[in-house]
Amino acid sequence: FLGPAPLDMKTLEELFQAITDLQDLTNKLDDLLDSPADITVYYGQNAKMEATGDITVSGPLLYDCDVVAGGSITVSGECRSGSYIAGSAICAHAVGSKGLGVISLIVGENGTIGADTFYPGVKLRIGSVQTVIEQECHNQKFHVQEGKLVSSAFRRGGVRC
């Protein structure tokens, strides 16, 4: 339908065929929007990423990024300052840093946040429950149970957080 194409239609049959074609195209596009889109990167600095599915960072670092995932965020390396929001889970090797910037991690009501190392100052929010990490802690996975934030052992090679 570029240019004067609609004006070139001479019969009602041509118009009805065009309507049918547009409805088919609309249905195909709606189906594509319902499929989750994932992002996989090696490294990120001052980046903005948004995916309807999962975001995976396979390299050493995410630094000062704004990341939003409808599913989970998985970082093989360190996740320093920035804002990280996921629907279900955030997992990383290390979160925060000693003296560098502010980082906040947010997941949905039934989500989990886990890391090998959490540095002081990391802001966590799971659903409506939030806290700030006050001292360095290791191998922790946080989730909400009966309205309270609880932690358990976190093993990167084991069960997905």
Side-chain angles (χ1 to χ4, degrees):
F1 291 97
L2 297 175
L7 298 175
D8 289 340
M9 293 181 192
K10 305 285 188 234
T11 66
L12 282 176
E13 289 83 24
E14 289 177 301
L15 177 61
F16 290 136
Q17 183 59 48
I19 291 171
T20 301
D21 292 344
L22 286 172
Q23 288 172 333
D24 289 343
L25 180 60
T26 300
N27 291 337
K28 288 178 184 176
L29 290 173
D30 284 341
D31 289 344
L32 288 174
L33 290 175
D34 289 338
S35 301
D38 298 335
I39 296 174
T40 301
V41 297
Y42 180 74
Y43 170 85
Q45 182 173 353
N46 298 322
K48 293 181 188 268
M49 294 179 243
E50 186 170 347
T52 56
D54 300 332
I55 296 178
T56 303
V57 181
S58 61
L61 181 64
L62 267 185
Y63 180 73
D64 201 26
C65 294
D66 291 321
V67 179
V68 178
S72 65
I73 298 171
T74 304
V75 182
S76 295
E78 297 180 26
C79 187
R80 294 187 187 161
S81 62
S83 172
Y84 304 86
I85 303 170
S88 60
I90 299 175
C91 303
H93 170 64
V95 177
S97 60
K98 294 181 179 179
L100 292 175
V102 175
I103 183 170
S104 66
L105 307 176
I106 301 169
V107 295
E109 199 69 41
N110 296 314
T112 59
I113 300 173
D116 294 332
T117 303
F118 284 94
Y119 289 100
V122 173
K123 297 177 182 179
L124 302 179
R125 189 170 89 199
I126 300 174
S128 61
V129 179
Q130 56 189 359
T131 191
V132 176
I133 301 294
E134 294 180 7
Q135 60 185 3
E136 188 173 318
C137 60
H138 299 276
N139 304 316
Q140 294 295 305
K141 177 173 76 170
F142 295 92
H143 63 280
V144 172
Q145 186 175 339
E146 298 177 5
K148 296 181 181 177
L149 191 67
V150 295
S151 67
S152 57
F154 173 74
R155 292 182 302 276
R156 288 177 54 83
V159 179
R160 182 176 179 184
C161 74

